[in-house]
Each structure stands twice: as structure tokens, then as C-alpha cells.
Amino acid sequence: MELEQARKLWQPEPGWLNTATYGLPPDPVWTAMQQVLADWRTGRVSFEVWDESVGRSRAAFARLVGVDAADVSIGAAVSQLAAPIAASLPPGATVVVPEVEFTSILFPWLVQEERGVRVRTVPLDGLVDAIDAGTDLVAFSLVQSADGTVAPYDEIVAAARAHDALVVVDATQACGWLPFAADRADAVLVGAYKWLMAPRGAAFAYLAPALRERMRADAAGWYAGRDPSASFYGLPLRLADDARRFDISPSWLCYAGAAPVLELLTELDPVAVRDHDVALANRFLAGLGRPPGDSAIVTVEVPDAQEKLARAGVRAAVRAGRVRASFHLYTTEADVDRAIEALTD
């Protein structure tokens, strides 16, 4: 599908520049959600109908990031997906993380400190050099939530491989606009409600086979079974042989919305999506007299930004006087210009 054709599938109210907080659903998602809500309300279908969306979502996510669906686990949030990886670290292991990092990819390691796991934080621009022979795992966001900085993925992976360290990536703020090769890492964790524009409550993890061998499925339930439909009751333990053993029982309504948007994204040229989003971000920066960047998330400091944006009907994140604006498929040049006019008034 061509990008311009796909962009007609969204119905945003003008002024939404906050995909880094949550993405907006295209028409197929809205339609699917109305159907599943109606079915739930009336008891019209059995759960198997909703459950089909989980398999569709897993397969589409795998295609989107270039991995085998058998290596994808589904869940609800990045921290939950990271937990069994953190629990698999031996006492005395050292984890290196950027010092200003979103806590979903920081706290899972910190709670292991009572077992002797050591967490070392360093500036993001020093992360590559900080990976050494004493590093067992490096964890980072591919795109930083706070300011949109794109991490040097290839350099970090190369440094980690040189020292036999594991690589765990939170791609929540990247997947959906920034093309990358998930299988270069040992684990890639994605909350789907931002740039993938799914309902909150759907999340995915690429887990490399070698990493899975070190992990234990502490949250295993019926959905982690080799055959979930035959795993409702009783002994013996019969877990899936692939990444599904780390699945948690899915929130079906969320996945009913995730499947159509993930399938839509697989039909689009990922480079075209990136170019569209970054061009709008750079239009915004240019209008405020800032140099261009390489991210769909940008931050600028503007006095009285909250009030100025509110008066213009622009919705963006404002924290400590800094505007964080984010641009995606449904963003228009008119949205960008409205924000520029508001902030330069």
C-alpha cells in the first residue's frame, strides 16, 4: 500500500503531536474494536474468535522486525517482558544501562541487586565505551523517550559482542517508524500502544533461542503451554518449545486491535514511514530556528509552552518547560505549522 493512501485511514483531531505518549488507531483498528466490544457485550462469540488476533499480531510483528514468529513472545508491558531476562542473570552479573533511561528498561535489573546483580549507569553517548570485559548485559532504548535521541544500535551491539555481553533493546519508541534489525540483539521488547498504534495492553518480545535457554518461564500459565487448548488443567508441565513459553494470557480485546494495525504497517515501506515522520520533525525544528535531526521525537525549550500550545489546540508533552513533540503517519504539515505558530507567537 502506498503511504499517501494509508494516511487516509486515520481521523485525528488537528494538533495531535504526542505519539510518544500514545498512538492513534487507524480505521481498521477502530472497526475491529467496535466489533469485539459488541461481541463481548452480547456474548455472541467464544473466546477462540478473539484469540485468532493474537496469532495474527505475533506473525505481523515478526514480519515487521524481520524475525521468525516462533521467536516472538506476547505480553502486556516492556517491564513484564524484561523480568524473566533479569531473573536469569547469575549473582554477580553486571548490567550497563544509560543513566537517563525510561524505568521500564531500568527497574527490572535494579530489583535483582538484592541477588548480587550490579547495575552500572553511564551517559548514553558513553555507552559503547562503557561496555567492557566485566559487562554481562547491556540494556537501552533504541530511541530515548525523554528527548528522541536515537541510540547507536550497531556500535552498541558490536561492543557487546566483542565482550560476549547480552543485548536487550527497548524499541517501544522506535518500532513503527525506525527500521532496524531485531535479530542483531538478544532481546527486543516493544510496547505496542505508541508507534505501533495498538491498544495499550499489547506488547511483544523477540527472544533469541540462545537467550531463551538461559531463561525460566516464571509466569507460565495455560497460554504458555505447548498446546494452550490442552493446557487448561492438571499435570504434567507441558510448556511450548519456542518463545511462546514466555507468553502470558493475552488481553484479547487489545490484540483484536493490534492485529489490523500491525498488518497494515507490514504493507508499508518502512523507509517511507521514517522519512515522512522525520521530515515533519525537521519542519518543526526549522520553524523554531533549530538544526535538523534524525528522529521522529524532538524536544525544544520554549517559555510558557504549555499555555501557548493549549491556546492553539496543540497536544504535545511539556515537561519542565521543554516541549516534546512527536510526528507520525497521521501528522500533517498543517499540524506542524500550527505548533510553530503557537510557540513563536
Side-chain angles (χ1 to χ4, degrees):
M1 181 182 294
E2 294 296 325
L3 192 63
E4 287 309 308
Q5 179 186 1
R7 293 186 63 232
K8 298 175 183 178
L9 297 174
W10 280 267
Q11 314 299 328
E13 188 172 305
W16 178 254
L17 301 181
N18 206 5
T19 298
T21 296
Y22 67 86
L24 307 184
D27 291 344
V29 173
W30 181 256
T31 300
M33 293 298 292
Q34 304 317 300
Q35 182 63 57
V36 77
L37 287 171
D39 290 344
W40 175 37
R41 184 184 190 189
T42 59
R44 186 178 298 138
V45 301
S46 181
F47 81 90
E48 288 88 354
V49 174
W50 302 333
D51 197 56
E52 291 175 1
S53 64
V54 180
R56 288 171 53 201
S57 297
R58 191 195 312 269
F61 175 80
R63 293 197 302 273
L64 198 62
V65 300
V67 301
D68 193 312
D71 295 327
V72 174
S73 176
I74 61 99
V78 164
S79 57
Q80 168 255 315
L81 294 167
I85 304 173
S88 74
L89 293 174
T94 295
V95 179
V96 179
V97 188
E99 61 186 4
V100 183
E101 183 57 271
F102 197 77
T103 50
S104 290
I105 199 65
L106 174 62
F107 281 6
W109 323 111
L110 290 174
V111 298
Q112 302 296 327
E113 286 187 320
E114 62 184 30
R115 296 196 300 109
V117 173
R118 177 176 174 241
V119 178
R120 183 158 57 96
T121 60
V122 299
L124 177 61
D125 60 8
L127 186 60
V128 172
D129 293 334
I131 300 168
D132 56 23
T135 303
D136 296 284
L137 184 148
V138 57
F140 64 99
S141 291
L142 185 53
V143 175
Q144 286 292 313
S145 170
D147 60 9
T149 299
V150 179
Y153 183 45
D154 291 342
E155 289 86 349
I156 294 170
V157 170
R161 297 296 177 240
H163 296 289
D164 295 322
L166 295 170
V167 178
V168 179
V169 181
D170 179 351
T172 299
Q173 295 287 12
C175 192
W177 76 266
L178 181 66
F180 69 98
D183 61 0
R184 296 214 62 205
D186 297 287
V188 174
L189 318 176
V190 179
Y193 70 100
K194 296 180 185 286
W195 301 89
L196 295 180
M197 301 167 287
R200 185 178 174 100
F204 302 89
Y206 161 70
L207 301 173
L211 174 63
R212 298 201 302 269
E213 292 177 1
R214 305 170 51 148
M215 296 166 59
R216 187 176 65 188
D218 288 338
W222 73 279
Y223 213 78
R226 188 174 294 112
D227 177 2
S229 64
S231 301
F232 295 146
Y233 304 107
L235 297 173
L237 179 66
R238 45 203 187 274
L239 297 180
D241 297 321
D242 56 17
R244 288 196 307 103
R245 68 170 45 208
F246 300 100
D247 284 4
I248 62 170
S249 184
S251 177
W252 287 310
L253 275 62
C254 296
Y255 282 91
V261 69
L262 290 169
E263 290 167 347
L264 172 62
L265 287 170
T266 64
E267 296 180 21
L268 302 180
D269 178 356
V271 174
V273 175
R274 180 200 62 197
D275 291 349
H276 172 270
D277 291 5
V278 174
L280 290 171
N282 285 338
R283 182 185 181 94
F284 177 77
L285 291 171
L288 297 174
R290 271 69 164 185
D294 61 354
S295 181
I297 306 172
V298 299
T299 56
V300 294
E301 190 165 350
V302 178
D304 303 317
Q306 188 88 56
E307 295 79 8
K308 290 177 178 178
L309 292 174
R311 283 198 301 268
V314 175
R315 287 91 69 211
V318 180
R319 298 185 177 93
R322 292 184 64 82
V323 178
R324 184 190 69 180
S326 41
F327 310 83
H328 205 13
L329 289 166
Y330 35 72
T331 312
T332 66
E333 290 184 351
D335 291 323
V336 176
D337 295 345
R338 177 194 290 241
I340 293 170
E341 183 177 354
L343 293 172
T344 55
D345 184 8

